[in-house]
Every structure is written in structure tokens, then in C-alpha cells.
Amino acid sequence: MIDGLRAEGIEFSFLDLDVDTASANGRLFLTMLAAIAEWENSRREERQHSALDTMRSHHQRIGGIPYGWDTVKSMDRISKTTRHADDLVPNLVEQRVLAWMVLQSAKGVGPRPMARALNDQSIPSKRGGKWHPSTVQSVLTSARLAEDTTLAQEAA
């Protein structure tokens, strides 16, 4: 944004820092601030991804409860609100449905026929409602199958 304004002939002076972007020193200072801000954002993103990956690998809850999983109160972790944190445990019925969905998707079956088949078999969605193609796509996008490979074999 500042580069765009500078291209229009608008310069900036930071009076409390004695920095003027019309000078070489001012432009260097601004470039260094931008580089540090970009580096800081990248580091924060890396830390967030690492923390989320760790939470997923330990079946800890992140956001909503994903299809195929239920929550239980953790006995060894306390949340920031001083309550027991939630851990995820596989919901075996939903895991079988999820494994079936993943298998169907691998075979090239789209979300619309899958939603139709799930509704025809009266299989409820996570919230107990009907399946829609967008719901199927969302579940497939965030699919988290339990490590138990027998679920996938049973779905086949």
C-alpha cells in the first residue's frame, strides 16, 4: 500500500522516529520493517500449523467436532478456561460411513450420488439431518479416518 502511495508521489514521515521515506535511509528502514513483519507472519503461521498438526496427531479437538469423531473430557489436559479439555475419540459407526465415503470418492463417485445414497439408507449427518452434496464434500475435505485400518477394509 505504501509503495502504491509513493508511486503517486506521496511520501511518509514518522516524526517520533525521525524517519522520512523520501530519503534512502527512510526507505531502507521501511523495507526492513516490512521484511521483519513478513518474517514474523511466516513464523506465526509455521507455529500454528505445527500446533494444529500435533493436536490432530493426538486426536485433540480443533474447532467443531469432525464427522467420524466424538468428544470426551480429557483427564490430563486443562483448557485455558480451567475446564477439562476435549479429546477426540473415533465414533465407530461414523468412521465406517466415512471410510465408505472415502472409498466411493476414490472410485470417482461424486458428492451428489453419495448424499442420495446416505439419505436413502437413512444415515444421519453429524447434526442428525439430511445429507447434501456440499455436506458430503465438506466431510470429505476434512476426513480424518482413525488409524484402525480394519474400518476401511470393512467399508469395502
Side-chain angles (χ1 to χ4, degrees):
M1 181 173 73
I2 290 178
D3 286 341
L5 292 170
R6 287 192 64 241
E8 299 284 328
I10 300 171
E11 296 292 342
F12 294 88
S13 292
F14 301 93
L15 301 176
D16 57 337
L17 299 175
D18 194 28
V19 174
D20 183 0
T21 60
S23 71
N25 284 345
R27 288 189 299 277
L28 173 64
F29 179 77
L30 197 58
T31 301
M32 289 172 56
L33 280 181
I36 291 169
E38 184 177 339
W39 169 79
E40 186 177 353
N41 280 337
S42 295
R43 287 287 302 138
R44 179 186 41 77
E45 186 177 317
E46 288 172 0
R47 287 191 306 271
Q48 285 176 336
H49 284 291
S50 176
L52 292 174
D53 289 344
T54 300
M55 289 176 75
R56 281 187 194 99
S57 70
H58 290 98
H59 300 301
Q60 295 171 1
R61 181 176 173 191
I62 303 167
I65 304 167
Y67 190 81
W69 298 86
D70 291 325
T71 59
V72 294
K73 297 292 178 203
S74 175
M75 292 298 115
D76 58 342
R77 290 185 316 107
I78 304 295
S79 71
K80 290 182 180 177
T81 59
T82 66
R83 298 181 328 196
H84 285 284
D86 291 338
D87 285 336
L88 294 174
V89 294
N91 175 316
L92 296 180
V93 172
E94 289 182 2
Q95 282 286 319
R96 286 187 180 96
V97 173
L98 184 57
W100 174 84
M101 292 169 70
V102 169
L103 183 66
Q104 294 302 303
S105 181
K107 290 179 180 178
V109 177
R112 187 173 306 280
M114 276 192 260
R116 192 176 311 116
L118 291 165
N119 289 327
D120 288 347
Q121 295 175 37
S122 299
I123 297 172
S125 67
K126 187 69 175 175
R127 295 185 181 158
K130 289 189 175 259
W131 287 92
H132 300 279
S134 60
T135 310
V136 170
Q137 186 61 53
S138 175
V139 166
L140 286 171
T141 299
S142 61
R144 291 172 60 183
L145 287 171
E147 287 82 20
D148 186 357
T149 56
T150 58
L151 293 172
Q153 293 168 354
E154 288 176 11

